Amino acid sequence: MPLDPNLPEHHEASDPHRHAHPPSTGTVADASARIARPNDAAAVGMVQAAVWREAYRTLLSPEVVEQFDPANFARVWRDSLRTPPSPRHVLLVGCAGEQVVGFAAVGPSIDRDATETSGEVLALGVHPDARRSGHGSRLLNAAVDTLRGRGFDSMCVWLLARDQDTRVFLTAAGLSPDGAYRDRLIDPDGTQAREVRLTADLSQR
């Protein structure tokens, strides 16, 4: 089961990428990033629903967007946390105090050109109300450390080609487009969305 349960039935996961934002100059009390626990699933589901509704509201019909249901997302995350796809799959959460406001899922890349040491940020999201407070940066840093700690020497992130905010955030963090792209089927009516891949060499970071 993939760690990222995200789009409607025809879209498989990989969307981290599109929802972290540049940190602000302000500070957040007790802000942190940590490995998720099973009881975090409900909060992650709520964050993901908010993130996906915002990201896809101009791409999908309102009826489809409304299907991004926190309870459904939480159920899949809970199952994935209890039985991860592999020991190298990890879900991280970003917190403001005790409140979960963001998440990042990492694991092996399954791209055709991937090797055993190719990692991927499979999902990354920060609640719209909690952005520009550094949570995206903390989650990305935690994702890098987690991937490197599990033996990965490279990292990739797929994001919507139209998502310029996240591209700016990721390139500022050291990732760069490698020319790869894919068109993903994102609803039963055949709507497609182009995604591009950004990569980083973790062995040099």
Side-chain angles (χ1 to χ4, degrees):
M1 177 182 296
L3 261 181
D4 178 9
N6 296 317
L7 271 173
E9 55 184 319
H10 293 285
H11 185 88
E12 71 185 84
S14 105
D15 220 336
H17 20 278
R18 49 202 93 146
H19 311 299
H21 285 254
S24 70
T25 54
T27 59
V28 177
D30 300 321
S32 62
R34 59 171 172 78
I35 293 176
R37 300 183 286 263
N39 61 3
D40 291 320
V44 174
M46 290 182 64
V47 173
Q48 184 175 12
V51 166
W52 281 72
R53 286 173 179 170
E54 181 187 69
Y56 286 95
R57 65 173 183 254
T58 61
L59 290 173
L60 299 171
S61 69
E63 294 77 16
V64 173
V65 171
E66 283 302 310
Q67 294 176 24
F68 296 146
D69 177 62
N72 289 337
F73 287 150
R75 189 177 307 112
V76 177
W77 286 115
R78 192 174 293 110
D79 290 343
S80 294
L81 285 166
R82 289 173 176 164
T83 310
S86 82
R88 303 176 90 191
H89 285 82
V90 181
L91 176 63
L92 303 162
V93 291
C95 301
E98 294 298 315
Q99 181 180 6
V100 172
V101 297
F103 67 100
V106 300
S109 171
I110 59 171
D111 292 343
R112 292 181 180 178
D113 56 352
T115 69
E116 286 295 314
T117 58
S118 300
E120 182 173 343
V121 177
L122 301 163
L124 175 63
V126 174
H127 194 285
D129 294 341
R131 292 177 181 165
R132 303 190 181 279
S133 297
H135 297 296
S137 293
R138 275 183 288 275
L139 281 166
L140 185 60
N141 288 336
V144 168
D145 290 343
T146 301
L147 287 169
R148 187 185 288 118
R150 280 161 174 73
F152 296 104
D153 61 17
S154 67
M155 175 178 75
C156 74
V157 176
W158 286 94
L159 70 153
L160 288 171
R162 61 188 291 167
D163 187 352
Q164 292 303 310
D165 284 350
T166 304
R167 184 190 289 252
V168 169
F169 167 74
L170 292 172
T171 54
L175 289 90
S176 58
D178 67 356
Y181 67 89
R182 62 191 182 191
D183 294 319
R184 306 301 299 269
L185 194 63
I186 60 172
D187 72 11
D189 295 329
T191 303
Q192 291 188 338
R194 175 153 295 191
E195 296 179 344
V196 295
R197 187 172 69 180
L198 277 65
T199 61
D201 181 357
L202 299 186
S203 66
Q204 302 300 318
R205 297 184 66 184

